Amino acid sequence: MTSVRLGEPHAGSGEAVASLARLPNRIGALCLVELQKLRHDRTELVTRSIQPALWLLIFGTTFTRIRAIPTGNVPYLDFLAPGILAQSALFISIFFGIQVIWERDAGVLAKLLVTPTPRAALVTAKAFAAGVRAIAQVVIVLVLAALLGVDLTVNPLRWLAAVLVVVLGSAFFCCLSITIAGLVLTRERLMGIGQAITMPLFFASNALYPVAIMPVWLKVLSRVNPLSYEVDALRGMLVGTPHNLALDVVVLVVAAAASISVASALLGRLAR
Amino acid sequence: MAEQVAVRRATALRASGLIYRFGQHVAVDHVDLDVAAGEAFGLLGPNGAGKTTTIRIMTTLLPVQEGEVDVFGRDVRRAKMAVRRSIGYLPQQLSADAALTGRENVALFARLFDVPSRERRDRVAEVLDAVGLTPSADRLAKTYSGGMVRRLELAQALVNRPRMLILDEPTIGLDPIARGDVWQHVRDLRESTGMTVLLTTHYMDEADQMCDRIALMHEGSIRACGPPDELKATLGPGTTLEEVFRHYTGGTLDEQGGSFRDVRQTRRTARRLG
Ligand SMILES: Nc1ncnc2c1ncn2[C@@H]1O[C@H](COP(=O)(O)OP(=O)(O)OP(=O)(O)O)[C@@H](O)[C@H]1O
Ligand SMILES: [Mg+2]
């Protein structure tokens, strides 16, 4: 009945080059898993849309009507939509550190770490998986925004750029949370820290209001907050506000790369 | 001398002078092991003996603090990737992704072990069949019983066709039928492939039946090592492994060692998935 055979021993030389070549396959495998989970349980996709929907529906429409926040010639709701989109991507990716701890507690991480996959590849794959997961969420928020009358671009290239930006931003926040997970090691502590930083990250960015009306200290915080660059790019791409896409992408790429390398260095700690 | 070399089989695993400390606590204390290719080798000991720690060093999960470990001639410290390719590992805990189906769980590992895409689908089906999970392959793993999860994990470990299977308490928390079932699959596998198996357990009878050789581990060190029959014979006819164990460690498996942490960890393994 058992028809399993023994494998040939693999050559060990050139392992570094070979593992680099296999990176896309690894990333593909772990992104696929993310989509499979989403397919098995779609309720999360819906429940996680409630909060952004409320922001758009209540906060957005109210502030659009009372014109309390000066957003130039774009309606406030249009200004807000990309910010809320970035926020929902942030909330999803910040959750990935908790997922990694959960996988550690469930013994799954140990098995992943015993596959011939470099730590950096596992983390990069998680980062992309967070991006894929965020995109699924973002689509729902965008549909909502369109229904509320937000004037979204129809240019496919701009859509593509927006997708790239969401993936980069999610990669950064995902690896930020894996990094924290690698430092604090327990789910409770990570949840505490996660809750303590997500709202400040959101409020200390340009997601809700333009940088121009911020007090100086908030301007500084917003300037060092990668979320601001994500929002700037998304707003520019989706509703056509003035933006600096090159700078935004460079900041996001550097932030993502840095957080991936720090998170990979710390990942092994979780399995000790 | 020449004869001896010719007779000796290839070595699957060799550890010498292995020491591992968690802070001040010495969990593994000067362990030497030699497992021949094709052998079924059992590491036996009570809670907290250091079995899992030893295994986690061999699987590259823990760093080699002191001593040497080779797996099929590759140094665990230097050739991590090669070592990982050559082993299939079942951790002590039931560990499959509860939110994926059985097939998806195995397919993920097929990809992570670089099974060529042409063969992937067939190989995944083949190992699922080998552990008798074909009928439930497309159900979510969270609906599986403990025994099914363990068999799923076997399939995950086998999809890579490893040269050595490392099983950390593969039957812990399973009912007697599921236990017998897991061992039957391991036995079938050995028969058809001659795969090396390194396992830990604290069920003496299982070790007695499954293993060519066993090592008795206690408080981090190996107290005795050899074929079960030889170990029993040293204490005269009619001895059980239980008695052998008591002889070498001065205690029984049940009452020795086992801090609260150990017991809690063990109990967690007995629960179902997520
Ligand atoms: N991560 C850890 N941090 C601190 N101490 C640990 C850790 N893991 C294990 N230990 C300690 O090391 C010793 C050996 O533990 P180990 O898990 O290797 O034992 P074991 O033989 O596998 O026991 P069991 O039968 O309970 O699985 C124990 O005293 C345990 O408390
Ligand atoms: Mg153990």
Side-chain angles (χ1 to χ4, degrees):
Chain A
M1 107 195 246
T2 317
S3 53
V4 180
R5 276 155 295 163
L6 288 184
E8 288 304 307
H10 295 260
S13 58
E15 187 64 65
V17 179
S19 68
L20 207 63
R22 287 189 217 103
L23 189 58
N25 192 26
R26 295 286 191 279
I27 293 173
L30 287 153
C31 286
L32 180 67
V33 162
E34 212 51 48
L35 292 175
Q36 286 167 336
K37 286 185 188 170
L38 215 51
R39 190 162 53 88
H40 294 313
D41 187 4
R42 296 200 187 91
T43 52
E44 204 193 312
L45 215 51
V46 176
T47 51
R48 281 180 173 267
S49 301
I50 293 173
Q51 209 179 11
L54 289 178
W55 275 99
L56 286 177
L57 219 61
I58 296 171
F59 196 82
T61 50
T62 310
F63 277 72
T64 304
R65 204 164 318 124
I66 61 177
R67 295 173 196 280
I69 299 172
T71 49
N73 43 15
V74 260
Y76 181 67
L77 192 64
D78 292 33
F79 177 89
L80 179 69
I84 295 306
L85 208 137
Q87 180 213 44
S88 59
L90 164 71
F91 284 3
I92 283 174
S93 36
I94 277 287
F95 177 74
F96 266 69
I98 296 169
Q99 187 187 320
V100 168
I101 287 201
W102 194 86
E103 286 183 1
R104 188 272 312 268
D105 292 341
V108 179
L109 182 64
K111 289 208 308 201
L112 289 176
L113 289 172
V114 177
T115 64
T117 310
R119 273 41 174 166
L122 279 179
V123 170
T124 310
K126 280 280 177 208
F128 272 89
V132 167
R133 180 68 186 76
I135 295 290
Q137 199 68 53
V138 154
V139 169
I140 293 188
V141 179
L142 276 175
V143 170
L144 253 160
L147 288 178
L148 289 174
V150 173
D151 188 12
L152 295 166
T153 183
V154 287
N155 181 344
L157 281 179
R158 287 177 167 250
W159 281 99
L160 207 65
V163 166
L164 175 79
V165 165
V166 169
V167 170
L168 284 173
S170 307
F172 169 72
F173 289 113
C174 165
C175 293
L176 176 67
S177 92
I178 296 179
T179 299
I180 300 171
L183 291 173
V184 303
L185 302 177
T186 68
R187 195 189 324 208
E188 293 75 17
R189 275 181 271 176
L190 179 61
M191 296 257 266
I193 294 181
Q195 264 156 15
I197 66 170
T198 39
M199 281 328 246
L201 271 172
F202 177 52
F203 286 121
S205 79
N206 56 1
L208 291 178
Y209 21 75
V211 181
I213 65 163
M214 292 180 186
V216 178
W217 63 270
L218 198 55
K219 271 190 182 140
V220 174
L221 285 181
S222 162
R223 185 59 64 78
V224 296
N225 184 351
L227 189 66
S228 292
Y229 297 85
E230 185 178 346
V231 172
D232 183 65
L234 286 177
R235 200 169 275 151
M237 290 301 103
L238 296 175
V239 297
T241 50
H243 58 277
N244 188 345
L245 186 65
L247 174 70
D248 295 335
V249 170
V250 167
V251 169
L252 290 173
V253 167
V254 170
S259 68
I260 286 175
S261 41
V262 178
S264 336
L266 292 172
L267 188 66
R269 264 171 63 89
L270 281 165
R272 300 226 171 121
Chain B
M1 188 64 196
E3 264 175 63
Q4 238 182 355
V5 173
V7 172
R8 204 161 80 199
R9 281 187 291 178
T11 305
L13 182 135
R14 177 180 296 131
S16 63
L18 208 56
I19 302 175
Y20 197 93
R21 294 185 186 86
F22 289 105
Q24 293 296 309
H25 179 71
V26 184
V28 176
D29 193 4
H30 293 92
V31 162
D32 299 318
L33 281 176
D34 221 318
V35 179
E39 192 173 30
F41 190 94
L43 212 47
L44 253 80
N47 288 145
K51 308 180 293 291
T52 297
T53 308
T54 307
I55 278 190
R56 298 211 304 150
I57 299 169
M58 289 161 183
T59 53
T60 74
L61 281 172
L62 291 176
V64 181
Q65 286 179 347
E66 244 177 271
E68 302 285 332
V69 192
D70 286 9
V71 174
F72 294 103
R74 308 300 298 263
D75 187 333
V76 166
R77 227 184 301 226
R78 275 184 288 276
K80 287 198 175 66
M81 290 300 170
V83 168
R84 289 177 193 153
R85 276 184 195 290
S86 60
I87 58 182
Y89 170 51
L90 262 68
Q92 183 163 346
Q93 246 178 306
L94 289 183
S95 54
D97 202 320
L100 295 175
T101 66
R103 195 185 305 280
E104 287 164 350
N105 265 295
V106 179
L108 171 64
F109 276 71
R111 289 189 76 168
L112 293 179
F113 275 106
D114 306 305
V115 174
S117 54
R118 286 169 281 108
E119 294 176 35
R120 216 178 284 142
R121 182 194 288 263
D122 290 345
R123 256 221 244 173
V124 169
E126 172 189 306
V127 290
L128 281 166
D129 195 45
V131 298
L133 281 179
T134 304
S136 12
D138 295 311
R139 263 166 47 194
L140 290 183
K142 68 174 146 219
T143 67
Y144 283 17
S145 70
M148 288 167 81
V149 172
R150 248 358 189 175
R151 285 187 279 137
L152 174 61
E153 288 192 82
L154 264 180
Q156 281 181 302
L158 292 174
V159 76
N160 173 43
R161 295 181 180 159
R163 302 174 75 190
M164 175 161 63
L165 202 52
I166 299 187
L167 311 172
D168 195 354
E169 315 239 11
T171 55
I172 195 154
L174 302 188
D175 65 51
I177 294 174
R179 244 195 264 169
D181 219 31
V182 166
W183 287 128
Q184 192 52 50
H185 285 295
V186 174
R187 224 173 271 132
D188 288 348
L189 190 72
R190 289 195 64 219
E191 225 156 75
S192 58
T193 66
M195 194 178 288
T196 312
V197 177
L198 172 66
L199 59 93
T200 77
T201 176
H202 37 220
Y203 296 117
M204 289 285 171
D205 51 330
E206 291 183 347
D208 204 350
Q209 286 166 30
M210 276 299 299
C211 299
D212 301 320
R213 282 194 309 142
I214 54 178
L216 300 181
M217 197 165 183
H218 187 57
E219 291 175 350
S221 62
I222 291 183
R223 304 295 168 89
C225 181
D229 289 339
E230 261 176 46
L231 286 177
K232 287 184 282 189
T234 51
L235 295 188
T239 333
T240 63
L241 260 190
E242 195 80 41
E243 287 162 335
V244 175
F245 190 84
R246 197 174 315 140
H247 173 79
Y248 283 107
T249 63
T252 65
L253 270 178
D254 297 337
E255 59 197 44
Q256 276 295 316
S259 62
F260 175 65
R261 180 178 197 277
D262 301 322
V263 177
R264 194 186 46 184
Q265 274 195 341
T266 311
R267 291 195 56 121
R268 197 171 63 199
T269 63
R271 286 208 323 246
R272 280 208 194 182
L273 289 179

